[in-house]
Amino acid sequence: MSETLDTEILVLMRRVSEQIILPRYQNLASEEIIEKAADDLVTIADREAEEALQVGLAAYDPNVVIVGEEAAHADPSVLNALSGDCWIIDPIDGTHNFAHGHAPFGILLARASGGLCQSGWIYDCLSGRFCAAHCGAGASVNGEKFLARTTGENPPVAAISALFLDDEERAMVHTHITPHYRLVDIPRCAAEQYPRLGLGENDISTFKRTLPWDHAAGVLWLNEAGGCAQRLDGSAYRVEDNSDGCKKPGLVGASSPKIWEEYAARALANPV
């Protein structure tokens, strides 16, 4: 059942990518890029891709409510569906990159029930890499079963995001966290950041804002692959949590449970 669903979802994501997203890559007019909020962009491709994904998912199962990033921005009441059975859509994850004409960017889809992600899919529009996961059934990359691996480096490799941190939080991270890791840039794209944690490229990624369309699929995929993604207090990520993005304890993803525990111990020993 899950393999059939993965195939159907892949066909949908690939079609939307090839017909709507990629034709506008490095080909957007200035009026086709809109700033929803400070440093938060949306493009005509985001909106058209979300509409196409909604149509495809509705045809697959018309009884399940759809929560799309752009629909929720236009009407926040859409978020009320996150506690029930729903599809979650991020039509272009990494819009900032896409709008500026560079990689990475991708599509994120998830199926959630009761506040927890049950299935998730991550599609890289440029490479075609397809990551899938189902709760209790493991993770895959391009149709092959997959287990997460660490970078093997000492110190571990960390992409620590300062986005949305206040000055006190930045100071704590700089003093007590970053000296223990080799730092790399964040890709500003969860559709890239979560795979990096499983593919032996990064060991730690941190997130302050944890909106469901950005994280539902990636959290499930990493956990099912044997890595670890959860709230800094050790609680599970729930898609209906803090829909404004920043009130709950931060979300940390790691290439292994051990590396996650080491990071959390450092952060909790130095609370802000």
Side-chain angles (χ1 to χ4, degrees):
M1 175 64 178
S2 61
E3 291 180 2
T4 300
L5 178 57
D6 288 348
T7 299
E8 294 172 349
I9 293 294
L10 174 58
V11 168
L12 173 61
M13 296 171 97
R14 181 184 289 145
R15 182 174 71 245
V16 170
S17 176
E18 292 177 351
Q19 295 182 1
I20 297 174
I21 297 173
L22 290 180
R24 286 199 165 93
Y25 180 47
Q26 300 179 333
N27 194 34
L28 286 165
S30 59
E31 65 271 15
E32 294 176 330
I33 305 171
I34 300 165
E35 190 170 51
K36 294 188 292 186
D39 203 30
D40 188 6
L41 303 178
V42 63
T43 73
I44 187 172
D46 291 78
R47 292 174 172 172
E48 291 184 357
E50 183 165 305
E51 290 174 3
L53 291 165
Q54 286 177 330
V55 170
L57 295 175
Y60 180 79
D61 192 340
N63 297 315
V64 178
V65 179
I66 297 174
V67 179
E69 177 181 5
E70 304 312 326
H73 177 75
D75 178 8
S77 69
V78 169
L79 297 170
N80 295 335
L82 289 169
S83 59
D85 294 335
C86 63
W87 297 104
I88 302 171
I89 300 174
D90 191 338
I92 302 180
D93 183 69
T95 296
H96 183 276
N97 300 334
F98 177 79
H100 288 86
H102 61 82
F105 56 90
I107 303 172
L108 294 170
L109 294 179
R111 175 74 179 266
S113 181
L116 294 173
C117 186
Q118 303 299 318
S119 297
W121 302 273
I122 307 171
Y123 183 77
D124 185 299
C125 294
L126 291 174
S127 71
R129 182 186 62 208
F130 178 65
C131 301
H134 303 275
C135 188
S140 64
V141 176
N142 296 330
E144 299 293 329
K145 287 292 185 180
F146 178 79
L147 293 176
R149 57 183 182 270
T150 71
T151 65
E153 294 192 27
N154 187 22
V157 179
I160 297 178
S161 176
L163 295 174
F164 310 110
L165 298 184
D166 59 32
D167 290 343
E168 190 176 3
E169 290 169 326
R170 284 191 176 90
M172 186 282 289
V173 169
H174 178 74
T175 301
H176 298 289
I177 301 296
T178 59
H180 300 281
Y181 299 94
R182 179 170 75 81
L183 301 184
V184 293
D185 291 338
I186 63 170
R188 295 196 63 153
C189 174
E192 175 65 15
Q193 213 150 352
Y194 281 103
R196 286 184 184 183
L197 289 169
L199 292 167
E201 298 179 38
N202 290 351
D203 290 303
I204 285 286
S205 286
T206 65
F207 309 93
K208 173 72 171 182
R209 191 173 75 169
T210 57
L211 295 164
W213 36 82
D214 291 329
H215 296 283
V219 166
L220 180 66
W221 180 83
L222 185 59
N223 285 331
E224 287 293 324
C228 184
Q230 53 190 359
R231 296 285 185 187
L232 189 55
D233 62 3
S235 61
Y237 176 73
R238 299 183 62 84
V239 300
E240 83 272 30
D241 284 347
N242 61 291
S243 295
D244 70 339
C246 293
K247 290 180 180 177
K248 283 275 187 177
L251 181 61
V252 178
S255 57
S256 75
K258 181 177 183 292
I259 290 175
W260 189 95
E261 290 165 3
E262 291 169 349
Y263 179 93
R266 291 187 177 106
L268 294 173
N270 299 279
V272 177

